[in-house]
Amino acid sequence: MGVKIKDVARVAGVSVTSVSRVLNKGEHVSEKLEKKVLRAIEELNYSPSLIAKSLKRNKTNLIGVIIPDITSHFQATILSSIEETAGKKGYNLLVSNIVEDTEKVVKYLNVFQDMRVDGIVLMHAKMNDDIRHFLTKTQIPLVVHADLGMNLPTVIIDDYKAGYDATSYLIQEGHQRIAMIAGDMRDLSAGRKRYEGYLAACKDHGLTVDESIIRFGDYKLATGYKLMNELLTEAGGSFTSVFAASDDMAVGAMNCIQDHQLHIPGDISVMGFDGSQIADVVRPRLTTIKQPVDQIGQMTIDLLLNLIEQSAAPSSLQPMRKVILAHELIAKGSCRNISGKIGPLIQ
Amino acid sequence: MGVKIKDVARVAGVSVTSVSRVLNKGEHVSEKLEKKVLRAIEELNYSPSLIAKSLKRNKTNLIGVIIPDITSHFQATILSSIEETAGKKGYNLLVSNIVEDTEKVVKYLNVFQDMRVDGIVLMHAKMNDDIRHFLTKTQIPLVVHADLGMNLPTVIIDDYKAGYDATSYLIQEGHQRIAMIAGDMRDLSAGRKRYEGYLAACKDHGLTVDESIIRFGDYKLATGYKLMNELLTEAGGSFTSVFAASDDMAVGAMNCIQDHQLHIPGDISVMGFDGSQIADVVRPRLTTIKQPVDQIGQMTIDLLLNLIEQSAAPSSLQPMRKVILAHELIAKGSCRNISGKIGPLIQ
DNA sequence: CTGAAAGCGCTTACAG
DNA sequence: CTGAAAGCGCTTACAG
């Protein structure tokens, strides 16, 4: 990569200013000059340095993305949609896979700052003081995929309502003992909100919440299996359905239930959350709350780019800062109506 | 981010040279000076620009990664391992999700070049002239996860042998009619090599290869379903097992088989490839060829960093340029021995 | 339409 | 141990 703009200028017999102009297609240059420059670029196989350009322009066209776990199909799908949308707009992605580590989040937020990224997407929803401090202080436009209670620009579904809807559906299907495999309570959206929705739905429908059939996990498949195993051995037979805060955990739970020689939905109904591919892979198919992944990715980048433009050239037209997208309950074969079985719940 | 090294120097009452020195911990500075500088950095909340540093040092600590499909669990796992290994060594990842698009590969290779990444990881295995041209010309250290027949540094398993082993196993289990759901023949490793291994194993064991029970796909779950559907409707009953070139396709095929009211492995045995999580999720569990994903990620970065060092400070100790890692056949419940059923194949 | 020159924010010989 | 100055490879007022 030894060749730089100066070399092109020399070979083309023009100034570096002119080379820069044909590169950036901004101001008009004569056709003759343009041709000379293009020929020299071709001849030298010149590749302009985005590093130098970024330094000068004070703009990197880089977006830093912090994602808790790329190996989650749901998160990978969002990342994929973010990548596609950002790519179309000429932005590149700096990606950090965090694996539930708040220390690493802080580290990467600082790296992103040092790299002078134009914007940040934060899909991580656990907080600590350092993260909170960074988020309140930073000048970098950012969008979070979580309700962190900090009035930050957000693209998300209504996790509370979604948890409420999932639980209500099970109740309508006649279930009165609904176990929950919830997320991490330090995770303010997918963890806490979905759980709160579950609690509220139970209370609103007159069910007593029984903590002995509630577990807390980390959204992973293996965890769903492990927690379901606990539920079956410690609280076996005392519930007719289970609501998991992620499809991966739901599928882990299904595997465990089946390994215990129990039937889904005959013995236990299972409700998932996310609407990721795996929900359609397992048998019976998983009833789940579907999040609009493609929309989430697109809207996240749209909002972020708006914020970036706004910070570059402030105008009175403030971009919307909160986007709540609609979720959807997809009923498949993993849940069944047991109203008839346990008596006339709904008359 | 208005604050720059000059400001720190002014506030600390020292030269920018000294500030740079405490930042980079290279040459020794007096404790007194260091303290003044650190205090000023703290006070101003200074974040040194990696962009400026990269320009000056001619090193970005950036690695560009081109991955065909992040939503594939197998690929995401490798990416995750790459990210972890690279992060530990102080490198950040520029990620491009390509979705089987050779045009996009060329585009991103050039972006990576313009961004002056220190190295490139290419997980994409389809070629075209532009890609080939780039790969032969570039000075950027790179590692490919495919045998592209170009003598490039490579970390990979022996796909030919793995395809051979998978097929031989089925043959040993008594199968004589083995369908294949292969990859893309433009994909030189996972596509072509695994298929060639299948062909060779059939021939070596005296089986005739029947093209009517062979299909070609793109490794995705939905494609496995679709192609299995073709096989069942067009060549139904004429084979006792199927070998798929990816676990995702194998699972799609399993779903299709089960949706046709057929049993696995009772009616049809299924063999996968990759050893990704989904193989243990489905019932029966999928027999598959397991790739050593974590090792692949680690070795890829190790090799790449060696090449980067080598190109920065050439020495006579050339790093090894080809790493072939061992695969492993994991036998689970999706294949069964049918020697007894169709007669004494092995006496 | 074109070019000379300053400057983006750092690092690093060089000199003291 | 410390600092003044050149320079990394670009862009962009400014002047012509």
Side-chain angles (χ1 to χ4, degrees):
Chain A
M1 299 294 85
V3 30
K4 44 202 85 163
I5 198 168
K6 209 185 205 172
D7 303 312
V8 177
R10 185 172 31 74
V11 169
V14 302
S15 71
V16 294
T17 310
S18 293
V19 177
S20 176
R21 282 195 184 111
V22 341
L23 245 27
N24 293 299
K25 304 184 172 76
E27 304 171 51
H28 259 267
V29 290
S30 69
E31 264 190 46
K32 206 173 96 193
L33 187 148
E34 180 169 14
K35 270 206 183 114
K36 282 195 287 187
V37 170
L38 290 177
R39 198 177 309 129
I41 288 174
E42 180 82 2
E43 184 185 331
L44 297 173
N45 198 20
Y46 170 63
S47 146
S49 165
L50 287 181
I51 296 296
K53 183 172 182 168
S54 295
L55 178 61
K56 185 62 195 161
R57 284 219 176 148
N58 203 21
K59 176 144 177 40
T60 54
N61 275 41
L62 243 31
I63 292 174
V65 181
I66 290 184
I67 192 166
D69 181 13
I70 311 181
T71 68
S72 144
H73 187 267
F74 170 70
Q75 293 177 39
T77 309
I78 291 186
L79 180 60
S80 174
S81 145
I82 285 178
E83 195 274 341
E84 198 190 330
T85 313
K88 279 183 191 151
K89 309 272 185 167
Y91 283 80
N92 294 112
L93 258 41
L94 221 48
V95 171
S96 297
N97 183 36
I98 294 304
V99 194
E100 307 296 324
D101 180 346
T102 45
E103 300 301 310
K104 242 180 121 184
V105 173
V106 177
K107 181 188 147 197
Y108 278 110
L109 286 172
N110 282 301
V111 170
F112 289 169
Q113 177 163 271
D114 294 349
M115 281 293 292
R116 301 295 188 261
V117 299
D118 291 337
I120 293 176
V121 175
L122 180 60
M123 312 245 306
H124 181 95
K126 286 191 216 161
M127 278 293 107
N128 68 17
D129 288 345
D130 290 339
I131 300 176
R132 200 183 313 274
H133 182 252
F134 182 96
L135 295 178
T136 51
K137 289 285 181 195
T138 189
Q139 302 295 322
I140 307 173
L142 68 91
V143 174
V144 297
H145 174 63
D147 179 358
L148 303 176
M150 288 177 66
N151 195 31
L152 296 166
T154 303
V155 174
I156 198 174
I157 62 165
D158 184 338
D159 280 295
Y160 172 85
K161 185 162 186 309
Y164 190 97
D165 291 349
T167 310
S168 299
Y169 175 82
L170 289 171
I171 295 171
Q172 278 161 31
E173 295 290 294
H175 295 272
Q176 305 214 18
R177 295 276 300 165
I178 304 171
M180 176 156 193
I181 298 181
D184 188 320
M185 287 307 107
R186 291 167 299 174
D187 168 353
L188 272 17
S189 286
R192 195 172 282 275
K193 297 278 179 183
R194 291 174 196 173
Y195 177 58
E196 285 169 358
Y198 160 83
L199 293 181
C202 287
K203 281 177 188 148
D204 289 357
H205 293 82
L207 303 190
T208 43
V209 172
D210 176 359
E211 285 182 14
S212 76
I213 56 172
I214 297 174
R215 291 293 184 283
F216 301 95
D218 61 3
Y219 314 106
K220 295 194 188 184
L221 200 141
T223 307
Y225 191 103
K226 187 180 127 241
L227 296 180
M228 177 49 78
N229 202 42
E230 281 183 32
L231 288 171
L232 288 176
T233 49
E234 295 170 16
S238 79
F239 51 90
T240 59
S241 63
V242 58
F243 167 37
S246 78
D247 283 350
D248 284 350
M249 285 200 294
V251 169
M254 287 176 77
N255 282 342
C256 180
I257 291 167
Q258 288 167 338
D259 287 355
H260 277 255
Q261 313 304 329
L262 295 170
H263 291 279
I264 301 165
D267 297 308
I268 299 177
S269 290
V270 180
M271 165 75 70
F273 201 110
D274 283 342
S276 71
Q277 172 180 269
I278 205 167
D280 269 332
V281 170
V282 290
R283 295 294 181 270
R285 289 181 176 82
L286 180 63
T287 294
T288 189
I289 298 285
K290 184 176 160 69
Q291 298 200 53
V293 272
D294 288 339
Q295 255 194 77
I296 291 173
Q298 262 176 255
M299 297 293 283
T300 297
I301 295 301
D302 284 354
L303 174 52
L304 187 60
L305 296 191
N306 278 338
L307 292 167
I308 291 172
E309 278 174 30
Q310 172 72 19
S311 86
S315 85
S316 53
L317 287 165
Q318 294 285 342
M320 193 182 351
R321 289 169 58 89
K322 298 267 178 200
V323 180
I324 312 288
L325 297 168
H327 59 268
E328 193 181 352
L329 195 152
I330 310 283
K332 288 286 170 66
S334 70
C335 293
R336 73 164 185 142
N337 188 309
I338 58 167
S339 309
K341 187 183 168 199
I342 60 160
L345 181 77
I346 302 160
Q347 304 238 345
Chain B
M1 300 299 86
V3 30
K4 44 202 85 163
I5 197 168
K6 211 187 206 170
D7 303 312
V8 177
R10 185 171 31 75
V11 169
V14 301
S15 72
V16 294
T17 311
S18 294
V19 177
S20 177
R21 281 194 186 114
V22 341
L23 245 27
N24 293 299
K25 306 184 171 75
E27 306 170 52
H28 259 269
V29 290
S30 68
E31 265 191 44
K32 205 174 98 193
L33 188 148
E34 180 169 14
K35 271 207 182 115
K36 282 195 289 186
V37 170
L38 290 177
R39 198 178 309 130
I41 288 175
E42 181 81 2
E43 184 185 331
L44 297 173
N45 197 19
Y46 170 62
S47 147
S49 165
L50 287 181
I51 295 297
K53 183 173 183 167
S54 296
L55 178 61
K56 183 63 196 166
R57 284 219 177 148
N58 204 22
K59 176 140 176 47
T60 54
N61 276 42
L62 244 31
I63 293 175
V65 180
I66 291 184
I67 192 166
D69 180 15
I70 310 181
T71 67
S72 144
H73 187 266
F74 170 70
Q75 293 177 40
T77 309
I78 291 187
L79 179 60
S80 174
S81 144
I82 285 178
E83 194 273 342
E84 199 192 330
T85 314
K88 279 183 193 152
K89 308 272 188 169
Y91 284 79
N92 294 111
L93 257 43
L94 222 48
V95 170
S96 297
N97 183 36
I98 292 306
V99 194
E100 307 296 322
D101 179 346
T102 45
E103 301 300 311
K104 242 180 122 184
V105 173
V106 177
K107 180 188 147 198
Y108 278 109
L109 286 172
N110 282 302
V111 170
F112 288 168
Q113 176 162 271
D114 294 349
M115 279 295 290
R116 301 296 188 262
V117 298
D118 291 336
I120 293 177
V121 174
L122 180 60
M123 312 245 306
H124 181 95
K126 286 191 213 161
M127 279 292 108
N128 68 17
D129 288 345
D130 289 338
I131 300 176
R132 200 183 313 275
H133 182 252
F134 182 96
L135 295 179
T136 52
K137 290 284 181 196
T138 188
Q139 303 296 320
I140 307 174
L142 68 90
V143 173
V144 297
H145 175 62
D147 180 357
L148 303 176
M150 287 177 68
N151 194 32
L152 295 167
T154 302
V155 174
I156 198 174
I157 61 164
D158 184 339
D159 280 295
Y160 172 85
K161 184 160 186 311
Y164 190 97
D165 290 349
T167 311
S168 299
Y169 174 82
L170 289 170
I171 296 170
Q172 278 159 32
E173 295 289 294
H175 296 272
Q176 304 214 19
R177 296 276 299 166
I178 303 171
M180 175 154 193
I181 298 180
D184 188 321
M185 287 308 107
R186 293 167 298 175
D187 168 354
L188 272 17
S189 285
R192 193 172 283 276
K193 297 278 176 181
R194 293 174 195 174
Y195 177 57
E196 286 169 358
Y198 161 84
L199 294 180
C202 287
K203 280 176 188 148
D204 287 358
H205 292 83
L207 304 190
T208 42
V209 171
D210 176 359
E211 285 183 14
S212 76
I213 56 171
I214 296 174
R215 291 293 183 283
F216 301 95
D218 61 3
Y219 314 105
K220 295 195 190 186
L221 201 141
T223 307
Y225 191 103
K226 188 180 127 243
L227 296 179
M228 178 49 76
N229 201 42
E230 280 182 34
L231 287 171
L232 288 176
T233 49
E234 294 168 18
S238 78
F239 52 91
T240 59
S241 62
V242 59
F243 168 35
S246 76
D247 284 348
D248 284 350
M249 285 200 294
V251 169
M254 287 175 77
N255 281 343
C256 179
I257 291 168
Q258 288 167 337
D259 288 352
H260 277 255
Q261 314 302 332
L262 296 170
H263 290 280
I264 302 165
D267 297 308
I268 299 177
S269 290
V270 180
M271 166 74 71
F273 201 110
D274 284 342
S276 70
Q277 172 180 267
I278 204 167
D280 269 333
V281 170
V282 290
R283 293 294 182 269
R285 290 180 174 81
L286 180 63
T287 294
T288 188
I289 299 285
K290 183 177 163 66
Q291 299 200 53
V293 274
D294 287 339
Q295 256 195 78
I296 290 174
Q298 263 176 256
M299 297 293 284
T300 297
I301 294 301
D302 284 352
L303 175 51
L304 186 59
L305 297 191
N306 279 339
L307 293 166
I308 291 171
E309 277 173 32
Q310 171 72 18
S311 86
S315 85
S316 52
L317 287 166
Q318 293 285 342
M320 193 183 349
R321 291 169 58 88
K322 299 266 178 201
V323 180
I324 312 288
L325 297 169
H327 59 269
E328 192 181 353
L329 195 150
I330 308 283
K332 288 287 170 67
S334 69
C335 293
R336 71 165 185 142
N337 188 308
I338 59 167
S339 311
K341 186 182 169 197
I342 61 162
L345 181 76
I346 301 159
Q347 305 236 348

